[in-house]
Amino acid sequence: MLSARQERILRHVVDGYQRTGQPVASKVIAADPELDCGASTVRHELALLEEFGLLDHPHTSSGRIPTDAGHRYVVDSMLYTGQGLEPAPRLDLAVTRQEVEEAMRATTETLSQVTNLLAVVSAPAANTATVRHVEVRALQPHVVMVVIIASSGDVSKVLATLDGPIDPGLLTWAAEYLNERLVGLSLGARMLHQRLLHPTLPATERAFLEPLATAIAALGSAAEDTLYVEGTSRLFSDSHLAEVTQIDELMGLLERRVALLDVLRAALSKPGIYVRIGQENPLPAMRSLALVAAGYGVAQRRLGTVSVIGPVRMDYAHTIPTVREAAFELSRFVEDAYGEN
């Protein structure tokens, strides 16, 4: 536990380093009238904070910079008490259509602009939405197209090739049957193929439905998480470039995305704001960076994450409430779309 004076001095170093990227000198800190102590006392406290592992001394004659642990102490204090956090900004997603995909993209763009950092939003897996409506259409004499409209507003289309010409009566029956069996069900539901091909189906209907059921089941099993990324150029701007020491590794991470998805899934499992600073990150490519993330979704169910990635000396007081607000606004948006689930 730090004393009140030590906490104030630590915040001075963190704030000063965040603004300038340079070590903070003891004489600058001692100028704070609320500390009510001299420069020699400040130097003593700085030495203790360094012994605690919260500050570092890059050069013999330089000031101090915060370590990852020093940033973590200040961030945890802000999250616990709420003190030091800026008021949450008002975020306008500017979404013109009630589609989750557009909301994901708008959130990512807005978050990157407001924080001037790399923003990443993980979309709900396609199989988390339920089926709202199914249409079955004859596309060619032997090809049927099944159109599935999800509760999220997303539209999926699958094609199935039949052995013989399409029977219009079977086409109408298939549309009614698929709506009866699929509406309200997740495309990722287990045993979907068996559910569609019920044992009591007559042989003719079963033969017609077989290729359609196979295509629909494949659609659900192939559904993957999607990432929306915005602001790569901001992360690699001149103001951040010196601090992002693993550029090649990070670019590879953004291209592969699978490992990044694992990180965001970890954030999804944690309540509230999830912060990983520097060496706390499990991925080597992110150990010169910080991640601030929050889950979004509906009551009792999280669907994805809203996050920003930036240098360790990012402005947490601004970034944390901004990410929290973005997650809140996105949750409001998807409430109607996923409220049925």
Side-chain angles (χ1 to χ4, degrees):
M1 292 294 294
L2 301 184
S3 67
R5 176 193 291 165
Q6 288 169 339
E7 285 198 3
R8 188 169 184 86
I9 290 174
L10 177 60
R11 283 181 178 270
H12 265 295
V13 177
V14 170
D15 292 345
Y17 182 65
Q18 185 272 315
R19 290 194 308 272
T20 68
Q22 300 298 319
V24 180
S26 58
K27 63 180 182 181
V28 174
I29 301 172
D32 180 1
E34 293 192 26
L35 280 176
D36 194 25
C37 64
S40 61
T41 302
V42 169
R43 286 194 294 271
H44 175 71
E45 297 285 28
L46 288 171
L48 287 177
L49 291 170
E50 189 171 347
E51 288 182 15
F52 297 158
L54 301 176
L55 298 180
D56 196 9
H57 204 166
H59 308 289
T60 304
S61 60
S62 72
R64 265 71 169 189
I65 64 173
T67 62
D68 291 350
H71 283 291
R72 165 56 66 185
Y73 188 98
V74 172
V75 167
D76 284 348
S77 177
M78 288 192 294
L79 289 174
Y80 181 73
T81 66
Q83 295 179 1
L85 292 175
E86 296 179 5
R90 180 176 177 83
L91 299 181
D92 182 7
L93 299 185
V95 177
T96 57
R97 295 176 297 170
Q98 296 298 309
E99 293 183 7
V100 173
E101 180 179 349
E102 186 179 347
M104 304 290 117
R105 187 172 291 107
T107 300
T108 312
E109 293 173 354
T110 302
L111 192 56
S112 179
Q113 290 170 2
V114 172
T115 62
N116 198 33
L117 298 170
L118 176 71
V120 182
V121 174
S122 65
N127 56 21
T128 61
T130 56
V131 177
R132 180 171 290 169
H133 181 68
V134 181
E135 296 180 7
V136 183
R137 304 170 183 171
L139 196 62
Q140 296 176 9
H142 296 270
V143 178
V144 172
M145 179 172 68
V146 180
V147 181
I148 301 174
I149 303 172
S151 59
S152 60
D154 294 334
V155 178
S156 302
K157 300 176 182 178
V158 295
L159 300 179
T161 302
L162 308 181
D163 293 333
I166 296 172
D167 182 333
L170 285 175
L171 200 68
T172 301
W173 168 83
E176 296 174 353
Y177 179 81
L178 290 176
N179 275 287
E180 177 186 339
R181 304 295 290 180
L182 290 180
V183 168
L185 191 69
S186 167
L187 281 176
R190 295 181 179 180
M191 312 297 286
L192 182 61
H193 190 270
Q194 290 85 338
R195 178 181 175 86
L196 292 178
L197 297 175
H198 198 272
T200 59
L201 283 174
T204 301
E205 282 79 359
R206 185 181 182 87
F208 183 85
L209 195 63
E210 176 74 46
L212 277 65
T214 300
I216 293 170
L219 176 68
S221 62
E224 297 180 350
D225 291 321
T226 300
L227 286 182
Y228 293 90
V229 179
E230 183 71 28
T232 305
S233 60
R234 292 186 172 96
L235 183 60
F236 298 142
S237 66
D238 291 340
S239 59
H240 298 320
L241 197 56
E243 300 161 78
V244 183
T245 59
Q246 298 149 301
I247 295 176
D248 291 341
E249 294 92 335
L250 181 60
M251 290 302 295
L253 179 66
L254 293 175
E255 290 172 1
R256 294 191 309 272
R257 301 198 175 190
V258 175
L260 185 54
L261 273 168
D262 288 339
V263 172
L264 297 180
R265 289 191 187 101
L268 195 61
S269 66
K270 303 294 183 181
I273 291 289
Y274 177 88
V275 181
R276 286 295 176 267
I277 300 172
Q279 295 297 315
E280 295 176 351
N281 285 297
L283 297 177
M286 294 183 64
R287 287 178 183 161
S288 64
L289 299 166
L291 168 75
V292 178
Y296 70 87
V298 296
Q300 308 302 319
R301 186 178 183 189
R302 290 188 169 193
L303 299 171
T305 54
V306 172
S307 62
V308 295
I309 297 172
V312 168
R313 71 176 186 97
M314 73 165 66
D315 185 356
Y316 297 96
H318 172 68
T319 302
I320 288 172
T322 302
V323 170
R324 182 183 285 152
E325 180 68 11
F328 175 75
E329 289 297 327
L330 198 51
S331 294
R332 290 179 56 188
F333 185 90
V334 301
E335 182 73 37
D336 290 340
Y338 288 89
E340 301 171 7
N341 290 357

